[in-house]
Amino acid sequence: MTDMKRVTIFDTTLRDGEQAPGCSMTLEEKIMVAQQLERLGVDVIEAGFPIASPGDFESVREVCKAVRGPVVAGLARCVKADIDRAGEAIAGAARGRIHVFLATSPIHREHKLKMSRGKVLARAVEGVKTALAYTEDVEFSAEDAARTEPDFLSEVVEAVIEAGATTVNVPDTVGYAVPEQYAEMVAALMRDVPNVDKAVISVHCHNDLGMAVANSLAAVRAGARQVECTINGLGERAGNCALEEVVMALRTRADVYGVETGISTAQIMNASRLVSTVTGVRVPPNKAVVGRNAFAHEAGIHQDGILKETTTYEIMRPEDVGLERNKLVMGKHSGRHAFRERLEELGIHLDDERLDRAFAQFKVLADKKKDIYDEDIEALVREEVEAAPETFKLVSFHVTSGVNVTPTATVTVEVAGEGMKTDAAIGDGPIDAVCRAVDRITGIPCQLEDYNIRAITVGKDAMGEVSLEIRSNGRRERGRAAKTDIVEASVVAYVSAVNQLYQWISAGRPKGEKPHGM
Ligand SMILES: [Zn+2]
């Protein structure tokens, strides 16, 4: 019933990726990512866990409206309320899937579920049948499959296929598997489950031992035909199998794997950058496929080789993943229209008001910096995309520092509904002083927990991007800003984080844990 040459790419950036700490996205950001995933050509987008929160429900429903090509999946435990909620969320999809999950391993059965094998089996079958009332496309996941007894796993897989599941996922939920053993688990299912040809066997690997991609590839060789993965390998703990790595491995080593995906690989860089932009989780420079250095050949002997013949050292071409090296995109004379077009190409859609603000920032930057690259534009837009309502708006600041003087700052902030306020403070350094002065105005004392600065591109006129984390009343918020002046970037980032914190305080400090998926 399925094309055995074709591997289904199931992206869970919006669900497993988004549930990781520090990776939350707004509804608008999720829609942008979903649309980019559609351009990328993923087969399935897991858009959220509808029962987890009203926000998750809403985002699954909106993603269903925003994309027409890919299947949109909603996650549910094998519980009627979860499945009903997921069914409701995917009702508007061109093609909707309900993804139900239940743990099968002895550790989970005994300690988490307190259920016998028989009960787990019955609950799994019941979950699949309940989901079938909403859609024919039902996926079942045996949570912690990698640590489940092989005979019991086979029994569960056979039973859920019999019940009507068309995809059966056997995840390595805890990142414990190694390739040989994981491949053997899949091979055993292909061999021992009599109705296995009636469903697609899927894998979902976590990267706790750095083997998520290797495990997924081993499983494909053994017969798995769906890989669950995320852009940039985002996800719980050490993350998930990275989409860009597994796809490029299948493509580059088609001689070994003999399978294809439907991915338009030239959209990989755009997807990676967009996800990094909206989550604020930066891609390490040495990251395979999408890292800044992934295609950089610094060693002279390598460069010489590349110039003579690229395949001497390059196994993939940069353009295959959509990378155009140091492409100069914009300058002082670029207009608003060109600016918007470039953003659209990067997968970023801003409403008119925010586009105007971002464009104004771009013009200011173009006056200070000669060459403007995609990275610069993304840094500017990150601030617009992330910005909470500006209860506090930085108007001006002045800071003095030096040797044998006490760093002192004067700051003026416009406070919504209260007008201009000016205050001054001293600190350990200029940035500390200016942050203390902001605290005196806002009345919200914050601890600076994390502070990072990096140059976005090269050259003396490069922008410095400050990324920081503040803590107040046990709550952490991040702020980020890019400016050619690093003290200014620090203050803007700090005020942005304080605005987010203020949103949380004025929302009555909501508490409560969301249930987590596998
Ligand atoms: Zn997971």
Side-chain angles (χ1 to χ4, degrees):
M1 66 173 277
T2 45
D3 175 4
M4 286 310 283
K5 285 249 169 251
R6 173 68 187 262
V7 172
T8 297
I9 298 297
F10 175 114
D11 181 279
T12 184
T13 306
L14 297 176
R15 201 278 299 166
D16 207 323
E18 207 261 348
Q19 85 187 18
C23 297
S24 58
M25 300 175 216
T26 64
L27 175 61
E28 195 185 359
E29 290 164 348
K30 288 182 187 173
I31 304 279
M32 282 193 245
V33 170
Q35 289 170 335
Q36 178 58 29
L37 291 171
E38 183 171 30
R39 282 188 288 273
L40 181 63
V42 307
D43 302 288
V44 186
I45 296 174
E46 184 162 61
F49 189 3
I51 196 87
S53 71
D56 264 58
F57 176 82
E58 194 65 15
S59 57
V60 175
R61 204 170 58 172
E62 293 303 314
V63 168
C64 287
K65 290 183 200 156
V67 301
R68 299 322 273 175
V71 171
V72 179
L75 185 69
R77 289 167 296 197
C78 279
V79 176
K80 187 153 188 331
D82 278 38
I83 298 167
D84 289 342
R85 194 80 173 134
E88 211 184 315
I90 62 155
R95 297 191 293 155
R97 172 180 293 189
I98 295 179
H99 178 191
V100 291
F101 74 99
L102 181 64
T104 53
S105 68
I107 299 177
H108 283 240
R109 291 196 314 259
E110 281 154 31
H111 300 289
K112 187 175 87 176
L113 299 173
K114 303 194 191 310
M115 283 164 73
S116 65
R117 278 188 177 199
K119 272 197 172 150
V120 166
L121 195 70
R123 173 77 69 84
V125 165
E126 196 186 306
V128 169
K129 287 187 171 158
T130 309
L132 280 167
Y134 292 97
T135 171
E136 288 174 356
D137 188 345
V138 174
E139 171 170 341
F140 175 81
S141 274
E143 186 185 3
D144 204 17
R147 293 191 298 175
T148 300
E149 308 92 322
D151 65 323
F152 183 54
L153 187 62
S154 290
E155 219 181 308
V156 171
V157 172
E158 183 180 351
V160 295
I161 295 174
E162 182 60 36
T166 46
T167 303
V168 184
N169 183 40
V170 283
D172 179 21
T173 307
V174 294
Y176 181 69
V178 297
E180 296 78 7
Q181 169 221 357
Y182 196 58
E184 174 46 35
M185 177 192 79
V186 171
L189 294 175
M190 302 306 290
R191 189 175 61 226
D192 301 339
V193 176
N195 54 1
V196 73
D197 60 322
K198 300 206 165 46
V200 171
I201 296 298
S202 165
V203 290
H204 174 117
C205 297
H206 278 271
N207 207 29
D208 299 71
L209 292 171
M211 288 190 278
V213 173
N215 286 335
S216 304
L217 291 169
V220 167
R221 281 209 84 179
R225 285 298 176 264
Q226 174 175 287
V227 175
E228 302 194 357
C229 44
T230 59
I231 302 293
N232 298 339
L234 234 54
E236 290 271 16
R237 308 184 307 280
N240 284 73
C241 171
L243 181 148
E244 61 279 5
E245 294 180 26
V246 81
V247 165
M248 288 313 288
L250 290 175
R251 178 180 149 134
T252 308
R253 298 310 309 273
D255 59 325
V256 174
Y257 296 102
V259 294
E260 310 167 337
T261 71
I263 297 296
S264 305
T265 61
Q267 288 292 332
I268 283 178
M269 274 315 298
N270 281 349
S272 169
R273 285 178 174 163
L274 179 64
V275 167
S276 170
T277 298
V278 300
T279 59
V281 179
R282 215 169 281 148
V283 175
N286 60 330
K287 166 83 170 60
V289 182
V290 292
R292 180 160 36 92
N293 295 348
F295 291 90
H297 298 273
E298 294 293 337
I301 192 160
H302 286 206
Q303 286 182 346
D304 182 55
I306 290 275
L307 287 175
K308 286 177 179 145
E309 168 55 47
T310 57
T311 54
T312 47
Y313 288 100
E314 252 175 25
I315 59 161
M316 298 173 275
R317 294 177 305 164
E319 53 270 35
D320 291 343
V321 299
L323 185 69
E324 292 162 80
R325 265 182 270 224
N326 286 337
K327 191 182 163 204
L328 189 68
V329 285
M330 296 261 158
K332 207 173 166 143
H333 303 291
S334 305
R336 188 175 179 278
H337 183 72
F339 182 68
R340 163 174 263 166
E341 272 194 350
R342 191 59 204 150
L343 287 183
E344 303 266 322
E345 280 164 29
L346 294 170
I348 298 163
H349 310 280
L350 296 181
D351 58 39
D352 282 342
E353 197 190 327
R354 292 199 299 176
L355 183 78
D356 285 341
R357 281 204 303 263
F359 183 63
Q361 293 285 318
F362 166 76
K363 280 296 191 190
V364 171
L365 177 66
D367 275 336
K368 294 182 189 165
K369 190 172 186 299
K370 191 160 72 51
D371 303 330
I372 297 182
Y373 299 96
D374 280 349
E375 289 87 338
D376 294 318
I377 293 179
E378 280 161 349
L380 282 181
V381 168
R382 265 200 284 272
E383 293 168 40
E384 273 312 318
V385 168
E386 284 171 2
E390 282 190 300
T391 310
F392 307 107
K393 190 173 179 183
L394 180 71
V395 177
S396 65
F397 74 94
H398 175 81
V399 62
T400 46
S401 70
V403 179
N404 295 328
V405 295
T406 303
T408 310
T410 312
V411 174
T412 300
V413 170
E414 188 180 344
V415 182
E418 295 177 34
M420 300 287 184
K421 290 191 174 182
T422 299
D423 214 321
I426 57 169
D428 294 337
I431 290 162
D432 185 47
V434 86
C435 294
R436 298 287 79 81
V438 171
D439 286 357
R440 290 175 64 93
I441 294 172
T442 63
I444 308 171
C446 301
Q447 227 62 39
L448 193 56
E449 291 279 300
D450 183 28
Y451 179 90
N452 286 293
I453 185 159
R454 66 160 187 150
I456 290 173
T457 48
V458 292
K460 279 193 182 148
D461 64 352
M463 284 205 290
E465 184 180 54
V466 170
S467 161
L468 52 77
E469 189 175 84
I470 61 170
R471 187 167 56 90
S472 184
N473 290 300
R475 174 80 177 176
R476 288 162 190 275
E477 292 290 355
R478 295 201 72 87
R480 193 165 37 179
K483 304 280 173 198
T484 49
D485 177 328
I486 57 162
V487 179
E488 184 188 358
S490 306
V491 189
V492 172
Y494 189 79
V495 171
S496 154
V498 173
N499 275 318
Q500 314 238 26
L501 189 68
Y502 183 81
Q503 284 298 109
W504 175 74
I505 294 170
S506 54
R509 307 180 182 200
K511 279 208 179 70
E513 277 291 298
K514 291 206 297 184
H516 266 204
M518 45 103 239

